[in-house]
Short mmCIF file of all heavy atoms in Angstrom, two decimals:
data_model
loop_
_atom_site.label_atom_id
_atom_site.label_comp_id
_atom_site.label_asym_id
_atom_site.label_seq_id
_atom_site.Cartn_x
_atom_site.Cartn_y
_atom_site.Cartn_z
N ILE A 83 -3.10 -4.17 -14.42
CA ILE A 83 -4.24 -3.45 -14.95
C ILE A 83 -5.47 -4.30 -14.96
O ILE A 83 -6.58 -3.87 -14.60
CB ILE A 83 -3.91 -2.92 -16.39
CG1 ILE A 83 -2.77 -1.90 -16.36
CG2 ILE A 83 -5.19 -2.29 -17.01
CD1 ILE A 83 -2.26 -1.52 -17.69
N ILE A 84 -5.33 -5.60 -15.35
CA ILE A 84 -6.43 -6.52 -15.31
C ILE A 84 -6.97 -6.62 -13.90
O ILE A 84 -8.21 -6.56 -13.66
CB ILE A 84 -5.99 -7.92 -15.81
CG1 ILE A 84 -5.65 -7.93 -17.30
CG2 ILE A 84 -7.16 -8.95 -15.59
CD1 ILE A 84 -5.00 -9.20 -17.78
N ASN A 85 -6.08 -6.73 -12.95
CA ASN A 85 -6.43 -6.83 -11.53
C ASN A 85 -7.30 -5.61 -11.12
O ASN A 85 -8.33 -5.75 -10.46
CB ASN A 85 -5.14 -6.88 -10.66
CG ASN A 85 -5.44 -6.84 -9.21
OD1 ASN A 85 -5.44 -5.79 -8.60
ND2 ASN A 85 -5.60 -8.01 -8.61
N GLN A 86 -6.89 -4.41 -11.55
CA GLN A 86 -7.64 -3.22 -11.15
C GLN A 86 -8.91 -3.05 -11.93
O GLN A 86 -9.86 -2.42 -11.40
CB GLN A 86 -6.70 -1.97 -11.32
CG GLN A 86 -5.56 -1.98 -10.34
CD GLN A 86 -4.76 -0.72 -10.35
OE1 GLN A 86 -5.26 0.37 -10.35
NE2 GLN A 86 -3.42 -0.89 -10.45
N ILE A 87 -8.97 -3.52 -13.14
CA ILE A 87 -10.23 -3.48 -13.88
C ILE A 87 -11.30 -4.32 -13.17
O ILE A 87 -12.43 -3.91 -12.95
CB ILE A 87 -10.05 -3.91 -15.34
CG1 ILE A 87 -9.16 -2.93 -16.13
CG2 ILE A 87 -11.38 -4.10 -16.02
CD1 ILE A 87 -8.82 -3.39 -17.53
N LEU A 88 -10.93 -5.57 -12.86
CA LEU A 88 -11.80 -6.48 -12.26
C LEU A 88 -12.19 -6.13 -10.82
O LEU A 88 -13.27 -6.50 -10.30
CB LEU A 88 -11.22 -7.94 -12.24
CG LEU A 88 -10.95 -8.54 -13.67
CD1 LEU A 88 -10.41 -9.94 -13.55
CD2 LEU A 88 -12.20 -8.52 -14.51
N GLU A 89 -11.35 -5.37 -10.19
CA GLU A 89 -11.58 -4.99 -8.75
C GLU A 89 -11.97 -3.49 -8.60
O GLU A 89 -11.94 -2.96 -7.49
CB GLU A 89 -10.34 -5.31 -7.91
CG GLU A 89 -10.10 -6.80 -7.78
CD GLU A 89 -8.87 -7.09 -6.89
OE1 GLU A 89 -8.19 -6.14 -6.51
OE2 GLU A 89 -8.66 -8.31 -6.58
N ARG A 90 -12.35 -2.86 -9.66
CA ARG A 90 -12.62 -1.41 -9.62
C ARG A 90 -13.72 -1.04 -8.66
O ARG A 90 -13.65 -0.02 -7.96
CB ARG A 90 -12.91 -0.85 -11.02
CG ARG A 90 -14.18 -1.42 -11.69
CD ARG A 90 -14.24 -1.00 -13.16
NE ARG A 90 -15.42 -1.45 -13.82
CZ ARG A 90 -15.58 -2.68 -14.34
NH1 ARG A 90 -14.58 -3.54 -14.26
NH2 ARG A 90 -16.70 -3.00 -14.95
N GLU A 91 -14.76 -1.90 -8.53
CA GLU A 91 -15.87 -1.60 -7.62
C GLU A 91 -15.42 -1.89 -6.17
O GLU A 91 -15.73 -1.11 -5.21
CB GLU A 91 -17.11 -2.41 -7.95
CG GLU A 91 -17.68 -2.09 -9.27
CD GLU A 91 -18.11 -0.62 -9.41
OE1 GLU A 91 -18.57 -0.05 -8.36
OE2 GLU A 91 -17.96 -0.02 -10.45
N THR A 92 -14.64 -2.92 -6.01
CA THR A 92 -14.13 -3.29 -4.69
C THR A 92 -13.17 -2.20 -4.18
O THR A 92 -13.13 -1.87 -3.00
CB THR A 92 -13.41 -4.66 -4.71
OG1 THR A 92 -14.31 -5.66 -5.18
CG2 THR A 92 -12.91 -5.09 -3.33
N ASP A 93 -12.32 -1.72 -5.11
CA ASP A 93 -11.33 -0.71 -4.73
C ASP A 93 -11.99 0.57 -4.10
O ASP A 93 -11.35 1.26 -3.33
CB ASP A 93 -10.52 -0.29 -5.97
CG ASP A 93 -9.44 -1.32 -6.27
OD1 ASP A 93 -9.16 -2.20 -5.40
OD2 ASP A 93 -8.79 -1.24 -7.37
N LYS A 94 -13.21 0.84 -4.50
CA LYS A 94 -13.87 2.02 -3.95
C LYS A 94 -14.17 1.89 -2.44
O LYS A 94 -14.36 2.87 -1.75
CB LYS A 94 -15.24 2.20 -4.68
CG LYS A 94 -15.13 2.56 -6.13
CD LYS A 94 -16.51 2.75 -6.78
CE LYS A 94 -16.43 3.03 -8.29
NZ LYS A 94 -17.75 3.13 -8.89
N LEU A 95 -14.12 0.65 -1.96
CA LEU A 95 -14.49 0.35 -0.57
C LEU A 95 -13.29 0.47 0.37
O LEU A 95 -13.47 0.44 1.58
CB LEU A 95 -15.12 -0.99 -0.42
CG LEU A 95 -16.36 -1.30 -1.30
CD1 LEU A 95 -16.75 -2.75 -1.14
CD2 LEU A 95 -17.47 -0.34 -0.93
N MET A 96 -12.05 0.56 -0.19
CA MET A 96 -10.84 0.55 0.63
C MET A 96 -10.13 1.91 0.50
O MET A 96 -9.96 2.37 -0.62
CB MET A 96 -9.94 -0.58 0.24
CG MET A 96 -10.56 -2.00 0.42
SD MET A 96 -9.36 -3.36 0.16
CE MET A 96 -9.12 -3.22 -1.60
N ALA A 97 -9.70 2.41 1.64
CA ALA A 97 -9.12 3.78 1.68
C ALA A 97 -7.90 3.86 0.79
O ALA A 97 -7.69 4.81 0.04
CB ALA A 97 -8.78 4.13 3.12
N ARG A 98 -7.03 2.81 0.83
CA ARG A 98 -5.76 2.90 0.09
C ARG A 98 -5.91 2.71 -1.43
O ARG A 98 -5.00 3.01 -2.18
CB ARG A 98 -4.76 1.89 0.67
CG ARG A 98 -5.12 0.42 0.37
CD ARG A 98 -4.11 -0.54 1.00
NE ARG A 98 -4.43 -1.90 0.62
CZ ARG A 98 -4.01 -2.51 -0.45
NH1 ARG A 98 -3.28 -1.83 -1.33
NH2 ARG A 98 -4.33 -3.75 -0.73
N THR A 99 -7.05 2.18 -1.85
CA THR A 99 -7.23 1.93 -3.29
C THR A 99 -8.30 2.83 -3.89
O THR A 99 -8.42 2.84 -5.16
CB THR A 99 -7.65 0.42 -3.52
OG1 THR A 99 -8.86 0.17 -2.80
CG2 THR A 99 -6.52 -0.50 -3.13
N ALA A 100 -9.05 3.55 -3.10
CA ALA A 100 -10.13 4.38 -3.63
C ALA A 100 -9.61 5.50 -4.54
O ALA A 100 -10.33 6.03 -5.37
CB ALA A 100 -10.95 5.01 -2.48
N VAL A 101 -8.31 5.84 -4.37
CA VAL A 101 -7.71 6.92 -5.15
C VAL A 101 -7.15 6.44 -6.46
O VAL A 101 -6.65 7.23 -7.26
CB VAL A 101 -6.62 7.63 -4.34
CG1 VAL A 101 -7.22 8.31 -3.13
CG2 VAL A 101 -5.51 6.65 -3.94
N ARG A 102 -7.23 5.17 -6.76
CA ARG A 102 -6.73 4.64 -8.04
C ARG A 102 -7.51 5.19 -9.18
O ARG A 102 -8.63 5.67 -9.05
CB ARG A 102 -6.82 3.12 -8.04
CG ARG A 102 -5.75 2.45 -7.18
CD ARG A 102 -5.97 0.93 -7.08
NE ARG A 102 -4.90 0.28 -6.36
CZ ARG A 102 -4.87 -1.04 -6.10
NH1 ARG A 102 -5.90 -1.79 -6.43
NH2 ARG A 102 -3.86 -1.54 -5.40
N PRO A 103 -6.92 5.25 -10.38
CA PRO A 103 -7.52 5.92 -11.59
C PRO A 103 -8.90 5.38 -11.96
O PRO A 103 -9.78 6.19 -12.27
CB PRO A 103 -6.51 5.60 -12.69
CG PRO A 103 -5.22 5.49 -11.99
CD PRO A 103 -5.54 4.78 -10.69
N LEU A 104 -9.14 4.08 -11.85
CA LEU A 104 -10.44 3.51 -12.25
C LEU A 104 -11.55 3.85 -11.24
O LEU A 104 -12.56 4.38 -11.64
CB LEU A 104 -10.31 2.00 -12.48
CG LEU A 104 -9.70 1.62 -13.83
CD1 LEU A 104 -9.28 0.15 -13.82
CD2 LEU A 104 -10.66 1.93 -14.98
N PRO A 105 -11.40 3.53 -9.97
CA PRO A 105 -12.44 3.90 -9.02
C PRO A 105 -12.59 5.44 -8.87
O PRO A 105 -13.68 5.92 -8.59
CB PRO A 105 -11.99 3.29 -7.70
CG PRO A 105 -10.57 3.03 -7.83
CD PRO A 105 -10.33 2.78 -9.26
N GLY A 106 -11.51 6.14 -9.15
CA GLY A 106 -11.56 7.57 -9.10
C GLY A 106 -12.19 8.24 -10.33
O GLY A 106 -12.44 9.43 -10.36
N GLY A 107 -12.47 7.42 -11.35
CA GLY A 107 -13.11 7.91 -12.59
C GLY A 107 -12.24 8.67 -13.50
O GLY A 107 -12.72 9.30 -14.46
N VAL A 109 -9.84 7.29 -15.43
CA VAL A 109 -9.58 6.51 -16.61
C VAL A 109 -10.77 5.58 -16.81
O VAL A 109 -11.28 5.00 -15.88
CB VAL A 109 -8.28 5.65 -16.39
CG1 VAL A 109 -8.09 4.69 -17.59
CG2 VAL A 109 -7.08 6.51 -16.26
N SER A 110 -11.21 5.45 -18.04
CA SER A 110 -12.38 4.62 -18.33
C SER A 110 -11.96 3.16 -18.42
O SER A 110 -10.77 2.83 -18.59
CB SER A 110 -13.05 5.02 -19.63
OG SER A 110 -12.20 4.76 -20.73
N VAL A 111 -12.92 2.24 -18.27
CA VAL A 111 -12.66 0.81 -18.35
C VAL A 111 -12.17 0.46 -19.75
O VAL A 111 -11.20 -0.37 -19.86
CB VAL A 111 -13.92 0.05 -18.00
CG1 VAL A 111 -13.71 -1.46 -18.22
CG2 VAL A 111 -14.36 0.28 -16.55
N THR A 153 -6.94 -13.08 -9.20
CA THR A 153 -7.72 -11.89 -8.86
C THR A 153 -9.16 -12.23 -8.39
O THR A 153 -9.59 -11.81 -7.36
CB THR A 153 -7.77 -10.89 -10.04
OG1 THR A 153 -6.45 -10.39 -10.28
CG2 THR A 153 -8.68 -9.71 -9.76
N LYS A 156 -9.55 -14.27 -4.86
CA LYS A 156 -9.40 -13.59 -3.57
C LYS A 156 -10.75 -13.46 -2.82
O LYS A 156 -10.75 -13.32 -1.62
CB LYS A 156 -8.77 -12.21 -3.77
CG LYS A 156 -7.32 -12.29 -4.12
CD LYS A 156 -6.65 -10.91 -3.99
CE LYS A 156 -7.03 -9.96 -5.09
NZ LYS A 156 -6.35 -8.64 -4.95
N LYS A 157 -11.86 -13.51 -3.57
CA LYS A 157 -13.13 -13.39 -2.89
C LYS A 157 -13.80 -14.73 -2.55
O LYS A 157 -14.82 -14.79 -1.97
CB LYS A 157 -14.10 -12.55 -3.80
CG LYS A 157 -13.71 -11.07 -3.81
CD LYS A 157 -14.86 -10.22 -4.32
CE LYS A 157 -14.61 -8.75 -4.11
NZ LYS A 157 -15.72 -7.89 -4.52
N ASP A 214 -9.78 -3.29 5.91
CA ASP A 214 -10.09 -2.89 4.55
C ASP A 214 -10.44 -4.15 3.72
O ASP A 214 -11.41 -4.12 2.96
CB ASP A 214 -8.88 -2.21 3.94
CG ASP A 214 -9.09 -0.68 3.90
OD1 ASP A 214 -10.14 -0.22 4.38
OD2 ASP A 214 -8.19 0.05 3.40
N TYR A 215 -9.65 -5.18 3.84
CA TYR A 215 -9.88 -6.41 3.06
C TYR A 215 -11.20 -7.04 3.39
O TYR A 215 -11.91 -7.57 2.54
CB TYR A 215 -8.75 -7.42 3.23
CG TYR A 215 -7.48 -7.09 2.43
CD1 TYR A 215 -6.26 -7.63 2.82
CD2 TYR A 215 -7.49 -6.23 1.35
CE1 TYR A 215 -5.08 -7.35 2.06
CE2 TYR A 215 -6.39 -5.91 0.63
CZ TYR A 215 -5.18 -6.49 0.97
OH TYR A 215 -4.04 -6.23 0.22
N THR A 216 -11.52 -7.08 4.70
CA THR A 216 -12.81 -7.67 5.12
C THR A 216 -13.95 -6.89 4.58
O THR A 216 -14.94 -7.47 4.10
CB THR A 216 -12.86 -7.67 6.65
OG1 THR A 216 -11.75 -8.44 7.18
CG2 THR A 216 -14.18 -8.34 7.14
N ARG A 217 -13.89 -5.56 4.61
CA ARG A 217 -14.92 -4.68 4.09
C ARG A 217 -15.12 -4.94 2.57
O ARG A 217 -16.25 -4.89 2.08
CB ARG A 217 -14.55 -3.24 4.33
CG ARG A 217 -15.71 -2.23 4.00
CD ARG A 217 -15.27 -0.79 4.23
NE ARG A 217 -14.69 -0.61 5.56
CZ ARG A 217 -13.46 -0.23 5.78
NH1 ARG A 217 -12.63 -0.02 4.76
NH2 ARG A 217 -13.02 -0.03 7.03
N ALA A 218 -14.03 -5.23 1.87
CA ALA A 218 -14.10 -5.45 0.44
C ALA A 218 -14.49 -6.89 0.06
O ALA A 218 -14.69 -7.21 -1.08
CB ALA A 218 -12.77 -5.08 -0.20
N GLY A 219 -14.51 -7.76 1.08
CA GLY A 219 -14.89 -9.18 0.81
C GLY A 219 -13.75 -10.09 0.39
O GLY A 219 -13.97 -11.20 -0.04
N PHE A 220 -12.50 -9.61 0.61
CA PHE A 220 -11.32 -10.49 0.28
C PHE A 220 -11.04 -11.43 1.38
O PHE A 220 -11.17 -11.11 2.61
CB PHE A 220 -10.09 -9.60 0.04
CG PHE A 220 -10.16 -8.76 -1.21
CD1 PHE A 220 -9.67 -7.49 -1.20
CD2 PHE A 220 -10.72 -9.26 -2.36
CE1 PHE A 220 -9.73 -6.70 -2.37
CE2 PHE A 220 -10.79 -8.51 -3.54
CZ PHE A 220 -10.28 -7.20 -3.51
#
Side-chain angles (χ1 to χ4, degrees):
I83 294 169
I84 294 171
N85 174 270
Q86 292 186 49
I87 291 172
L88 299 182
E89 293 182 351
R90 62 189 184 278
E91 295 301 323
T92 304
D93 281 347
K94 293 178 182 178
L95 304 176
M96 298 188 290
R98 69 183 184 85
T99 57
V101 296
R102 286 175 174 174
L104 282 165
V109 174
S110 68
V111 174
T153 295
K156 287 193 288 183
K157 288 196 171 184
D214 258 1
Y215 281 162
T216 301
R217 189 182 307 118
F220 291 140

